[in-house]
Structures are given as structure tokens and as C-alpha cells.
Amino acid sequence: MIEVVVGMAGAALVGWLIHRKQQQRSSAIASGQQAGVHCMLKFAERGSRWKAGRLLIGAGPLVWKPSFGRKETALPADLRQAELRSPSMREGMSINPASRIVECESSDGKISIAVMPPDLDHVIKALKGA
């Protein structure tokens, strides 16, 4: 019985922390500050591997900061949304199957952004504003 109570308290704490972080990110983006949205990116011309990192949204151009490495990459200024879809069965092996994939086009080529549904609206609005 004690294990169940401790497990429920732990789950409630994790849920509260995630909700709080999402609210902080939303208020930062709404006030024009830069905030990072966790997502995965795939550049069509660089190969077919998904790379984890954060999309920095806010004042200025969209910037991609990979989880591993320090080199930030500014995304093309003419990046626009072409399609929104769910991951295929094969893509679900390397990214979260609950995520949504935003297919984007630019003069530099195609870029795919996989993002979780709570942050999808931020990414779509940032692409429209870019």
C-alpha cells in the first residue's frame, strides 16, 4: 500500500513539473523572449538521421541547438511549413510515435521537425513568423 501511495505522489510531482515547464515556455514565447522547444530535426541533404535538440524560438531567426555538441545552426529565413503528419511505423522506431512531424521547405532544401503535441502550436507559429 505504501508503494502505491509513493508511486502516485511521484507521478503527480512529475506531471506538475512538466506542466509548469510548459507554462514557463509558453509565457516566455508570448512575451518575445527566446525559449527552447525540445524536438528532433532531420535535414534532407545531410542524410536520414534524426538529431535530438532544441528549437530556439523567440526574437530573431529560428535557431537549432543540438543536444550533443555546441554548434548552433540558424535555420533558413525562408523556412515554411509544407505538411503536418504523424510518424510512420519506421520513423516511430527512432522518434517518439506520439510526436507530430512538421515537414518544411526552404531554398536550402527540406527539413523535418518532430515535436510533441503540446509544443506543436509554438513551432507552427514560429514557422509562420519566420
Side-chain angles (χ1 to χ4, degrees):
M1 184 67 166
I2 292 174
E3 295 88 5
V4 172
V5 171
V6 170
M8 289 175 58
L13 177 64
V14 168
W16 178 76
L17 288 172
I18 290 172
H19 179 70
R20 186 174 137 223
K21 189 65 175 175
Q22 288 174 344
Q23 282 183 329
Q24 287 174 346
R25 187 173 22 251
S26 294
S27 63
I29 291 171
S31 66
Q33 299 174 357
Q34 195 173 42
V37 174
H38 292 281
C39 56
M40 297 187 76
L41 206 78
K42 180 170 72 168
F43 295 94
E45 73 274 358
R46 295 185 192 171
S48 62
R49 297 198 69 184
W50 287 97
K51 297 183 182 359
R54 291 183 297 150
L55 187 61
L56 302 177
I57 298 172
L62 293 175
V63 176
W64 169 252
K65 181 171 170 101
S67 293
F68 304 106
R70 298 182 186 162
K71 184 179 176 187
E72 292 182 355
T73 304
L75 296 179
D78 64 340
L79 191 66
R80 64 191 179 284
Q81 177 186 351
E83 182 183 355
L84 178 65
R85 63 182 178 85
S86 297
S88 66
M89 187 74 79
R90 183 175 181 175
E91 288 171 327
M93 301 289 223
S94 55
I95 63 173
N96 190 326
S99 65
R100 298 293 173 255
I101 298 174
V102 181
E103 297 284 349
C104 302
E105 295 176 348
S106 72
S107 58
D108 293 345
K110 293 185 178 185
I111 298 174
S112 300
I113 304 170
V115 63
M116 294 303 290
D119 296 323
L120 181 62
D121 195 36
H122 298 308
V123 173
I124 290 174
K125 286 180 182 175
L127 287 170
K128 287 181 181 176

